[in-house]
Amino acid sequence: MLNTLLSGDLPRSRTLGTMLALVVLALALAPFIATGARPLNTAATICIYIVLVASYDLLLGYTGIVSFAHTMFFGIGAYGVGLGFAGMTPSWSGAAIGLVAALALALVLAFIIGLFALRVRAIFYSMITLAVASSFAVLASQLSDLTGGEDGKTFDVPDLLSPANEFGEFMGRIVDGKVLTYYIVFICAVLIFLALLRIVNSPFGRVLQAIRENEFRAEALGYRTVLYRIAANCIGAVAATLAGALLALWLRYVGPKTTLGFEVMTDILLIVVIGGMGTMYGALIGTALFILANNYLKSLMAQAAGAVAGVPLLEAALHPDRWLLWLGILFIVAIYFFPSGIVGKLRARA
């Protein structure tokens, strides 16, 4: 059954299998493992970014497409749901209409961007996607009446998902609308991830990998590689749009910095490299490590600095304000010891 669920793509490493099981189990029980808003928000962010990174790995790791427009689709999904919920009385029908409109817009833009592959390749294609994404970010900021501009837009959700709506107590925690929202995000993330895993392990996915390795040979075998590249672009865009919709549902806020900023794109690239390109499980492991470091490294450094208080150089080096420096060092160490990513290294060792 597990082999069917994972589309025949088993971890093939006991260490990797253990790591994956721990991450999934931690995310499944996150509301009951730790109390407070921060751990739950961290777990929800991990779920959302797993989908976002996996959808980008479909392009970069499996097809060899370097695109900088992925955050645009992420933002389209978030704005679609956010604008759908915005109003006097938020309704599921409004959110559904917003999501359908976002998916339709994402598909159209992904198809148009994919058509550029007919004429340009490599860095030229990447620059086109960067220009399109930047233009969309500027447009979202300029349409302040609709999108809220640089400040973004805060909206309400139906009463079912309100924290004030309590369903009872389970394992010592009050199950309310926020916990229900988390499990909606978690279940949707699992389903989308499994769908992407099925796609990359299907005959379609094998053709994408052939295009990545040698597009000319794949074309010589009779495959219309441009159509496959456009299809991969559209599938990745749909998954990223759904990830954006989950983010808006969780945050109850949508803004250009949380979805359309270039910092989000660099985070995606870092996670793909850390986890391992061309491995869907790399999105899961890389995202968990990166988001945890992003949220808790500064706090850990503050504790460490307090423990070595009085040691001038060491205390200064561990000052919480230098957490980005240590995050960069950890990234360099990860690349040095895991050049093919954590998942790639573990599978090669196995």
Side-chain angles (χ1 to χ4, degrees):
M1 180 180 177
L2 183 63
N3 187 55
T4 303
L5 185 66
L6 299 180
S7 305
D9 190 3
L10 296 174
R12 301 199 298 272
S13 166
R14 184 173 298 178
T15 304
L16 176 59
T18 303
M19 292 173 65
L20 292 172
L22 288 175
V23 171
V24 174
L25 188 62
L27 291 176
L29 299 176
F32 309 103
I33 293 176
T35 58
R38 188 179 183 185
L40 192 61
N41 183 65
T42 301
T45 305
I46 291 174
C47 292
I48 294 165
Y49 266 72
I50 285 173
V51 175
L52 181 62
V53 174
S55 65
Y56 187 71
D57 196 32
L58 174 68
L59 299 179
L60 180 62
Y62 284 89
T63 319
I65 298 175
V66 182
S67 171
F68 292 116
H70 217 61
T71 51
M72 177 180 69
F73 304 118
F74 188 47
I76 287 174
Y79 275 104
V81 170
L83 295 177
F85 273 132
M88 297 298 294
T89 53
S91 64
W92 293 110
S93 58
I97 293 172
L99 179 59
V100 170
L103 289 171
L105 177 60
L107 276 174
V108 170
L109 290 176
F111 180 78
I112 294 173
I113 293 174
L115 288 178
F116 285 117
L118 290 169
R119 293 186 174 274
V120 293
R121 291 288 190 277
I123 189 65
F124 304 103
Y125 179 80
S126 302
M127 291 299 100
I128 289 175
T129 60
L130 179 60
V132 173
S134 300
S135 300
F136 189 86
V138 172
L139 181 64
S141 298
Q142 294 296 322
L143 298 176
S144 55
D145 292 338
L146 180 65
T147 64
E150 291 290 341
D151 295 330
K153 205 174 190 69
T154 303
F155 54 89
D156 294 323
V157 294
D159 293 337
L160 179 66
L161 303 182
S162 171
N165 188 18
E166 298 181 353
F167 303 99
E169 186 176 338
F170 183 72
M171 293 178 62
R173 181 186 177 110
I174 299 297
V175 179
D176 54 16
K178 196 66 174 178
V179 175
L180 178 60
T181 306
Y182 173 78
Y183 278 109
I184 291 175
V185 170
F186 173 74
I187 292 172
C188 290
V190 169
L191 294 176
I192 298 170
F193 180 83
L194 291 177
L196 290 172
L197 191 64
R198 181 69 189 96
I199 289 171
V200 299
N201 287 289
S202 67
F204 173 81
R206 302 303 180 196
V207 176
L208 295 183
Q209 295 174 58
I211 294 173
R212 177 196 65 195
E213 296 299 325
N214 195 314
E215 185 175 351
F216 294 106
R217 288 184 181 179
E219 196 166 356
L221 290 173
Y223 295 107
R224 302 183 68 178
T225 57
V226 171
L227 294 182
Y228 279 91
R229 287 165 62 92
I230 292 175
N233 205 38
C234 291
I235 293 171
V238 167
T241 303
L242 293 174
L246 294 177
L247 180 70
L249 180 65
W250 175 253
L251 293 180
R252 277 93 176 205
Y253 164 82
V254 60
K257 290 187 178 181
T258 57
T259 55
L260 299 173
F262 191 72
E263 296 83 0
V264 179
M265 191 69 242
T266 56
D267 288 347
I268 296 172
L269 288 169
L270 288 175
I271 295 171
V272 169
V273 174
I274 292 171
M277 288 190 294
T279 59
M280 280 291 157
Y281 297 126
L284 202 150
I285 300 297
T287 299
L289 292 175
F290 185 84
I291 298 298
L292 285 174
N294 233 358
N295 282 273
Y296 291 102
L297 182 59
K298 188 174 182 178
S299 301
L300 291 174
M301 286 181 61
Q303 295 178 8
V308 297
V311 184
L313 291 177
L314 196 55
E315 184 182 3
L318 293 176
H319 194 278
D321 291 342
R322 295 184 173 85
W323 73 277
L324 274 176
L325 170 65
W326 286 102
L327 184 63
I329 292 174
L330 290 175
F331 173 70
I332 294 171
V333 170
I335 297 301
Y336 181 80
F337 288 101
F338 303 97
S340 58
I342 295 174
V343 174
K345 182 73 172 182
L346 292 176
R347 281 187 161 180
R349 182 181 297 174

